[in-house]
Amino acid sequence: AQSVSQHNHHVILSEAASLELGCNYSYGGTVNLFWYVQYPGQHLQLLLKYFSGDPLVKGIKGFEAEFIKSKFSFNLRKPSVQWSDTAEYFCAVNEGNTPLVFGKGTRLSVIA
Amino acid sequence: DAGVTQSPTHLIKTRGQQVTLRCSPISGHKSVSWYQQVLGQGPQFIFQYYEKEERGRGNFPDRFSARQFPNYSSELNVNALLLGDSALYLCASLVVAAETQYFGPGTRLLVL
C-alpha cells in the first residue's frame, strides 16, 4: 500500500526565512500529489496539487512544490515565511479517485 | 457557496456508547469520504461513498459504518466506542472528475 513520509516533525523558523518541507511517497505509477495546511483551530485547506504537466506547482499564499518522479518526492517550498504561516502541513497522495494517503504532518512555527 | 459542513462540532461519549456523525458535502459534489485524525497524526481513510454506494473502506473494524443519502449527505456511525476512538473525524467531498477533496471542519470526539 502507498505510504507518505514527511521528514520533519516540527520546524521552527524566523520570519523571512526560507522554508522547505520534505515529502516522499512509497511507490510510483500515476499519482496525484497534494499539500494541505491546517491553521490553528481551522479545517484542512488545499495549498496546492499536482496531477500532471509542469512538475513545479504554484499554490496559494506564495507556496510552491516540485515533483521529482525519480526521487518519489514532492517537497513544499516558500521563499520567505510569515508569522501567519504557523500551521500544520500535510502531504498526501492518491491514484485517480482513490482515498488520500496522508503523511503524519509537519508542524511549522514561525517566530518574530 | 457553503463548504463542507459537519455536525456536531464536539462530542463527549463514554466507552461502549454509540455515536453518529453527520456531513453535508459541497453542493454538486456526489462523493463523500470520511477520515479519522488522531492527535499528532495525519488523517486516515475510513470510508468513501459515491452516488450512495460504498466505494472504499479503510482498515477500520466493523464497529465503524457509514451511509450516504439521496441528497449526498452522509452519516458515520461508530458502535461500542473505545477510548482509542477519540479523534477528529473529517468529512471530505469531491467532484469525481476533478479529483480534489475539500474538507469540512471536523467533529472532535472524546471518549471517556
Side-chain angles (χ1 to χ4, degrees):
Chain A
Q2 185 70 265
S3 65
V4 176
S5 298
Q6 291 186 241
H7 314 299
N8 310 101
H9 177 65
H10 188 192
V11 172
I12 302 173
L13 294 173
S14 299
E15 277 192 316
S18 64
L19 169 73
E20 180 158 4
L21 301 182
C23 171
N24 286 90
Y25 57 99
S26 56
Y27 65 84
T30 304
V31 294
N32 302 320
L33 295 154
F34 305 82
W35 276 97
Y36 282 87
V37 61
Q38 196 168 32
Y39 297 104
Q42 297 188 28
H43 62 279
L44 274 171
Q45 299 173 38
L46 181 67
L47 263 183
L48 48 79
K49 60 187 179 185
Y50 172 81
F51 288 167
S52 64
D54 188 344
L56 186 60
V57 179
K58 294 195 182 298
I60 61 171
K61 304 187 182 187
F63 286 92
E64 66 179 29
E66 184 176 12
F67 170 53
I68 302 179
K69 190 173 183 178
S70 61
K71 295 184 177 180
F72 299 98
S73 71
F74 190 56
N75 292 354
L76 181 71
R77 300 195 292 247
K78 185 171 184 178
S80 175
V81 295
Q82 302 172 319
W83 178 82
S84 57
D85 293 325
T86 295
E88 187 103 22
Y89 292 81
F90 294 95
C91 180
V93 61
N94 72 355
E95 296 171 69
N97 289 314
T98 60
L100 289 168
V101 177
F102 284 86
K104 291 187 176 182
T106 296
R107 184 155 64 100
L108 172 65
S109 298
V110 180
I111 55 178
Chain B
D1 280 344
V4 178
T5 59
Q6 293 186 243
S7 63
T9 55
H10 295 81
L11 207 50
I12 300 174
K13 293 285 189 178
T14 56
R15 281 177 297 174
Q17 285 189 310
Q18 175 266 342
V19 68
T20 298
L21 311 180
R22 296 175 177 82
C23 170
S24 291
I26 293 170
S27 177
H29 289 196
K30 299 181 179 180
S31 182
V32 167
S33 295
W34 287 95
Y35 293 81
Q36 181 195 63
Q37 186 179 9
V38 174
L39 197 63
Q41 301 290 321
Q44 188 175 359
F45 170 69
I46 310 175
F47 285 108
Q48 183 179 45
Y49 276 78
Y50 176 64
E51 290 276 19
K52 297 165 295 212
E53 291 191 4
E54 183 182 305
R55 290 298 181 93
R57 184 187 181 114
N59 188 22
F60 280 81
D62 291 343
R63 299 184 297 106
F64 288 76
S65 64
R67 56 180 175 168
Q68 187 178 30
F69 299 99
N71 66 354
Y72 304 112
S73 67
S74 177
E75 286 183 352
L76 174 70
N77 294 285
V78 187
N79 293 323
L81 285 166
L82 303 174
L83 296 180
D85 295 331
S86 296
L88 181 67
Y89 288 85
L90 297 168
C91 175
S93 79
L94 79 156
V95 173
V96 171
E99 300 181 338
T100 299
Q101 299 191 29
Y102 296 91
F103 286 83
T107 293
R108 190 165 295 281
L109 172 65
L110 177 61
V111 182
L112 300 176

